[in-house]
Amino acid sequence: MSGAALGIEIVVVFFLALFLLHRYGDFRKQQRMVLFGTLLAWYLCFLIVFILPLDVSTTIYKQCKIDHKEDVSVPTVSPLPSNHSAVNTSVTPTKSAPKPCYKPWSYIPDGIMPVFWRVVYWTSQCLTWLLLPFMQSYARSGGFSITGKIKTALIENAIYYGTYLLIFGSLLIYVAVHPEWHLSWYELQTIGITAANTWGLFLLVLLLGYGLVEIPRSYWNASRHGHLLIKTYFKASKLMTEKADAEENLEDVMEEVRKVSESIKYNHPLRKYIDTILRKCPLDYQEKMGRNMDDYEDFDDKQNTYPSEKSLVKLHKQVIYAVQRHNRTRVQWQILLQQAIHLEDVAKNETSSTHQFVHSFPSSEPAGWFSRYVYTPTVEWYWECLLKRWFYRLLSVVLTLFSVAVVWSECTFFSTRPVLSLFAVFIQLAERDYNYLYIEMACFITIFFLCTCVYSTVFRIRVFNYYYLASHHQTDAYSLQFSGMLFCRLTPPLCLNFLGLIHMDSAISHQEKEQTAYTSIMGSMRVLSFIANGFYIYYPMLIVILCIATYFSLGTRCLNLLGFQQFVGDSEMTSDLIDEGKELIRREKRKRQRIEDGENRRREWKERYGNQREDYAARNRSSHEMKETSYSDTVNPNNSRQAKYSRTGSRAERDCVELLQDAEPLDFNADSLTDDPLDSESGRHTVGRYLSMSSSRSRIFDDV
């Protein structure tokens, strides 16, 4: 089992990253390079989080072996009183026998973890500082060729890369010229890592302060169905405004595309770029533009002014953005509408005496075995109307206790005597008994909660329409890669902060203990003492102020004052948007109800009259076959014998028989006349018989 735990976690983390990318990205439409870069960034960050507890347990085992060697009993000589004639000695042990060190079940052999952390860390840093910014610009470019996209990406990142090179070059020259500083390559590498981690820690505290309060509060609000329904109405009003704006923007862009498409004809050199743009447009717009094209006309350079290739690149970029935004708002509106209808159903079913959950719009798909036998309407009622709210409240209380423990530990983790950090106390208690399973579980739960608070904030924040992670495959390439950059910059300082909370980072705890392999890769922070002893210790205390600001929604109120509509309970604008959203949901429900009623009427009509139509058609076919048989026997009972001995008149008789066979089904009686509109099918049969008669008559007059 020495390396099995590491291998299992590597595989599990890969599928976790792949699942999240499938939820937010689109494997069918987005570029493979974008998906691969985002998947690699997410995978490496999740891998660091999941493997770090194994590194902690392995380090504790190594420290145990070191202590076991040092704690061997040493005999000492105790002198007797001076009046004793003989010199005797008595041996007394200084310490009791140390406990044996047990190897953890997830022990990783020496030499593996340093190489593993080095590969993972430097790969993630190359992604976040070099590759992902370039891939972002490449994905957003409206160029029509790979060369054009690369050129655009290089131009956009020239300032970005140039700034870093200028800063690094200036520091390098300063260090080389300064007579007192003789820094080696290892120390320069440590300075670079420290600078990156300092930037990440600055952003980490901001995101963590928001998540520690907002995540427990979100689960508590989820248990309040009335509050959740009102907030859904508010979101519906805002989303409808955004949806209308996206549709208007798409119309404007498509109008510009239409004008350009009509001006550039089929034999123009820029026509291939127009075709590329048209393939990015929605299908209905492609059909409209295709009908209005006159490609048979030649272009004339003297009469018309044509757009340049640069303007077409800009138009291509606008088309990609407008189409993606339109599709995203349309999908989000359908999802939000379904959520609002479900919450209204929950509010109606709470007062139900039958304890059976009834949906306003039942699903048209047949119920599976899970819905039939496990998640029945009774079970659904107890879960949605009774148990779910208490489960969310209990979960909110547990998460609140975790948040309080994190805030307390962030403010006191620098104190080693006495140990005030709660997480350090838990780990040290388990370390005395060498309970490695408890150590790994405690480390995993702690770091998983920290990552949830930070990463969920990354998934929730929205920077206008430039950065927005939308589920159900609606996230654009730019936002996916930007999230990968944030993850790679936030994860290393998050892990260092966690190691400081449990007193496993000697640069912060100032204890001479065995370092983890991850800390050894980060280098000694004592090279920059003002960061190790100042910023890393006192800056996390700012999290208290951020938590207080988040609890009182100060950021939301400031955005609301600046004109960005936010959900504030005591605002008049919020009340107006709630009423508007309620009316929008009511209107959509009426529309859906009309559609469902129409489908039900058509289904009932088909069930009521479909069998009668089939029976009537079957009777017509049977009577037609019987008449054909009787007439063929009546007209020529000795057909085979005549054909055998004589051939005179056979053609006329055959024509007569065919004419009678085709004409006979036209005979009908008065009983078949009804006022049923479904008799139109019999009319269609009649038309068919008349067409068949025309073929028979053509054969009759072949000899004329």
Side-chain angles (χ1 to χ4, degrees):
M1 293 296 290
S2 59
L6 180 62
I8 292 173
E9 291 199 359
I10 289 175
V11 175
V12 170
V13 170
F14 174 77
F15 284 104
L16 175 62
L18 189 66
F19 169 75
L20 288 177
L21 183 60
H22 176 264
R23 177 175 174 81
Y24 287 91
D26 193 342
F27 289 168
R28 295 177 299 176
K29 297 181 180 179
Q30 289 175 336
Q31 300 176 3
R32 297 293 180 267
M33 184 181 65
V34 172
L35 296 174
F36 176 75
T38 306
L39 177 63
L40 184 60
W42 289 7
Y43 174 60
L44 293 178
C45 295
F46 295 159
L47 200 61
I48 294 175
V49 172
F50 277 76
I51 302 299
L52 191 60
L54 304 183
D55 192 6
V56 172
S57 62
T58 302
T59 304
I60 292 176
Y61 171 69
K62 293 179 180 179
Q63 183 65 38
C64 173
K65 291 197 300 183
I66 295 174
D67 296 340
H68 189 272
K69 292 179 181 179
E70 295 177 354
D71 290 344
V72 177
S73 301
V74 179
T76 60
V77 178
S78 59
L80 293 174
S82 58
N83 56 359
H84 230 273
S85 59
V87 178
N88 296 326
T89 59
S90 62
V91 179
T92 59
T94 58
K95 292 184 180 180
S96 61
K99 294 182 179 180
C101 298
Y102 299 101
K103 183 182 294 187
W105 69 278
S106 59
Y107 175 75
I108 300 174
D110 296 339
I112 294 180
M113 290 306 299
V115 176
F116 177 81
W117 287 130
R118 191 174 289 110
V119 172
V120 170
Y121 177 77
W122 288 111
T123 304
S124 64
Q125 293 305 301
C126 289
L127 281 173
T128 185
W129 297 106
L130 296 177
L131 296 180
L132 286 180
F134 176 81
M135 294 167 63
Q136 261 188 319
S137 301
Y138 182 90
R140 289 188 62 189
S141 173
F144 298 100
S145 62
I146 297 177
T147 306
K149 292 183 177 181
I150 293 176
K151 181 180 178 181
T152 303
L154 289 176
I155 293 174
E156 289 184 359
N157 288 273
I159 300 176
Y160 181 81
Y161 293 130
T163 303
Y164 283 111
L165 289 177
L166 180 62
I167 295 174
F168 180 76
S170 301
L171 292 176
L172 191 61
I173 293 173
Y174 178 77
V175 171
V177 173
H178 203 281
E180 297 179 359
W181 287 14
H182 301 283
L183 297 179
S184 62
W185 168 250
Y186 174 78
E187 293 174 340
L188 288 177
Q189 175 182 325
T190 303
I191 291 175
I193 294 174
T194 304
N197 290 337
T198 302
W199 188 94
L201 183 63
F202 177 80
L203 184 61
L204 173 69
V205 172
L206 298 178
L207 300 179
L208 186 61
Y210 176 83
L212 288 174
V213 176
E214 191 60 31
I215 289 181
R217 182 163 60 184
S218 64
Y219 281 103
W220 182 266
N221 291 332
S223 65
R224 302 162 56 196
H225 292 160
H227 177 271
L228 196 59
L229 182 58
I230 292 175
K231 193 171 184 179
T232 305
Y233 289 149
F234 177 82
K235 291 181 180 179
S237 179
K238 287 187 62 179
L239 186 57
M240 177 55 73
T241 303
E242 183 182 356
K243 183 172 177 289
D245 186 39
E247 292 175 353
E248 184 178 355
N249 184 30
L250 182 63
E251 290 284 348
D252 296 339
V253 174
M254 291 298 105
E255 180 64 22
E256 188 174 354
V257 172
R258 184 190 63 80
K259 293 179 181 179
V260 174
S261 178
E262 291 178 355
S263 63
I264 298 179
K265 302 304 178 182
Y266 71 100
N267 54 353
H268 195 281
L270 298 177
R271 184 62 201 181
K272 56 183 180 180
Y273 300 146
I274 298 298
D275 295 336
T276 303
I277 294 175
L278 289 176
R279 284 194 292 268
K280 303 294 178 62
C281 299
L283 294 177
D284 52 349
Y285 287 100
Q286 293 183 23
E287 294 176 357
K288 292 179 182 178
M289 296 177 190
R291 289 194 299 265
N292 296 330
M293 290 219 21
D294 296 327
D295 281 346
Y296 57 85
E297 297 180 2
D298 294 335
F299 72 94
D300 188 3
D301 292 334
K302 298 180 180 179
Q303 297 180 359
N304 299 328
T305 57
Y306 298 100
S308 61
E309 183 178 351
K310 187 176 181 180
S311 62
L312 291 180
V313 169
K314 183 179 179 181
L315 180 61
H316 187 202
K317 186 176 180 179
Q318 292 176 353
V319 168
I320 295 174
Y321 171 74
V323 172
Q324 198 279 332
R325 185 186 175 195
H326 175 262
N327 293 335
R328 187 192 70 214
T329 53
R330 179 173 53 83
V331 172
Q332 286 180 332
W333 172 253
Q334 296 298 327
I335 296 172
L336 188 63
L337 177 62
Q338 192 66 30
Q339 292 177 357
I341 294 175
H342 177 72
L343 290 174
E344 290 182 349
D345 290 343
V346 172
K348 293 178 181 178
N349 284 274
E350 283 180 347
T351 58
S352 175
S353 59
T354 59
H355 295 178
Q356 297 280 335
F357 197 89
V358 180
H359 293 272
S360 300
F361 301 98
S363 177
S364 58
E365 299 179 358
W369 66 271
F370 184 77
S371 299
R372 289 197 304 266
Y373 302 107
V374 180
Y375 198 62
T376 60
T378 303
V379 176
E380 185 178 4
W381 185 91
Y382 277 101
W383 168 250
E384 293 289 346
C385 301
L386 189 62
L387 299 178
K388 187 176 181 179
R389 64 174 63 185
W390 290 106
F391 172 75
Y392 279 166
R393 288 176 182 176
L394 179 61
L395 182 61
S396 177
V397 172
V398 173
L399 294 177
T400 302
L401 295 177
F402 263 99
S403 298
V404 172
V406 169
V407 172
W408 171 261
S409 300
E410 290 285 357
C411 296
T412 59
F413 72 93
F414 59 89
S415 176
T416 57
R417 294 182 181 178
V419 179
L420 299 179
S421 175
L422 298 179
F423 300 107
V425 172
F426 297 152
I427 297 300
Q428 290 179 6
L429 289 176
E431 186 178 354
R432 294 175 183 175
D433 299 330
Y434 302 109
N435 191 347
Y436 296 109
L437 182 60
Y438 174 82
I439 291 173
E440 292 174 3
M441 291 301 299
C443 291
F444 176 75
I445 293 174
T446 304
I447 196 172
F448 182 77
F449 178 72
L450 294 175
C451 291
T452 303
C453 294
V454 176
Y455 293 163
S456 64
T457 308
V458 174
F459 280 96
R460 288 186 182 189
I461 60 175
R462 176 176 180 179
V463 184
F464 299 105
N465 288 317
Y466 295 101
Y467 172 73
Y468 182 37
L469 290 175
S471 58
H472 298 84
H473 322 292
Q474 299 303 314
T475 305
D476 59 346
Y478 182 87
S479 300
L480 284 175
Q481 292 176 329
F482 191 77
S483 67
M485 292 170 54
L486 287 179
F487 281 9
C488 291
R489 297 180 187 183
L490 290 171
T491 304
L494 175 65
C495 294
L496 285 178
N497 181 257
F498 164 73
L499 293 175
L501 292 179
I502 62 175
H503 291 177
M504 294 291 291
D505 188 359
S506 60
I508 297 176
S509 61
H510 302 285
Q511 294 178 345
E512 296 298 331
K513 297 177 63 175
E514 181 71 14
Q515 288 189 350
T516 61
Y518 184 81
T519 309
S520 63
I521 297 302
M522 294 293 103
S524 177
M525 299 300 172
R526 295 188 179 94
V527 177
L528 300 175
S529 59
F530 68 94
I531 293 180
N533 300 328
F535 185 80
Y536 276 15
I537 292 178
Y538 298 105
Y539 179 71
M541 296 181 184
L542 186 63
I543 200 171
V544 179
I545 300 176
L546 294 173
C547 289
I548 294 174
T550 306
Y551 179 79
F552 291 103
S553 304
L554 296 182
T556 302
R557 296 180 185 275
C558 291
L559 290 175
N560 194 39
L561 292 176
L562 293 176
F564 301 97
Q565 288 85 9
Q566 302 294 318
F567 185 76
V568 181
D570 54 355
S571 174
E572 183 178 356
M573 179 64 70
T574 302
S575 302
D576 295 339
L577 291 176
I578 290 173
D579 295 337
E580 182 181 352
K582 187 183 298 184
E583 183 61 31
L584 290 172
I585 298 299
R586 188 180 296 114
R587 186 188 308 168
E588 291 293 332
K589 287 181 65 176
R590 288 197 299 265
K591 185 188 301 183
R592 182 175 293 190
Q593 187 66 47
R594 288 195 299 269
I595 295 174
E596 186 173 348
D597 292 343
E599 292 292 337
N600 292 334
R601 285 195 297 269
R602 281 191 289 271
R603 192 181 301 111
E604 292 176 359
W605 183 274
K606 184 177 180 180
E607 292 175 356
R608 180 179 300 177
Y609 299 104
N611 297 331
Q612 297 180 8
R613 181 186 301 179
E614 293 176 359
D615 295 341
Y616 184 73
R619 287 198 302 269
N620 283 342
R621 285 195 299 269
S622 61
S623 61
H624 172 60
E625 293 174 357
M626 291 176 62
K627 290 179 181 180
E628 283 184 348
T629 305
S630 61
Y631 272 103
S632 61
D633 295 339
T634 303
V635 172
N636 197 359
N638 299 320
N639 187 20
S640 61
R641 187 175 59 188
Q642 290 181 0
K644 192 171 185 180
Y645 293 101
S646 176
R647 298 181 62 182
T648 60
S650 61
R651 180 163 186 165
E653 291 177 357
R654 286 199 303 270
D655 292 337
C656 182
V657 170
E658 291 175 358
L659 179 62
L660 290 174
Q661 287 178 355
D662 290 334
E664 186 60 28
L666 295 175
D667 188 18
F668 58 90
N669 50 29
D671 296 335
S672 63
L673 294 175
T674 61
D675 295 332
D676 194 349
L678 294 177
D679 286 342
S680 58
E681 184 170 343
S682 62
R684 287 195 295 271
H685 288 297
T686 304
V687 173
R689 292 305 174 187
Y690 276 114
L691 292 176
S692 64
M693 284 181 62
S694 63
S695 62
S696 299
R697 290 176 180 176
S698 64
R699 290 195 297 271
I700 292 174
F701 297 103
D702 282 343
D703 296 334
V704 178

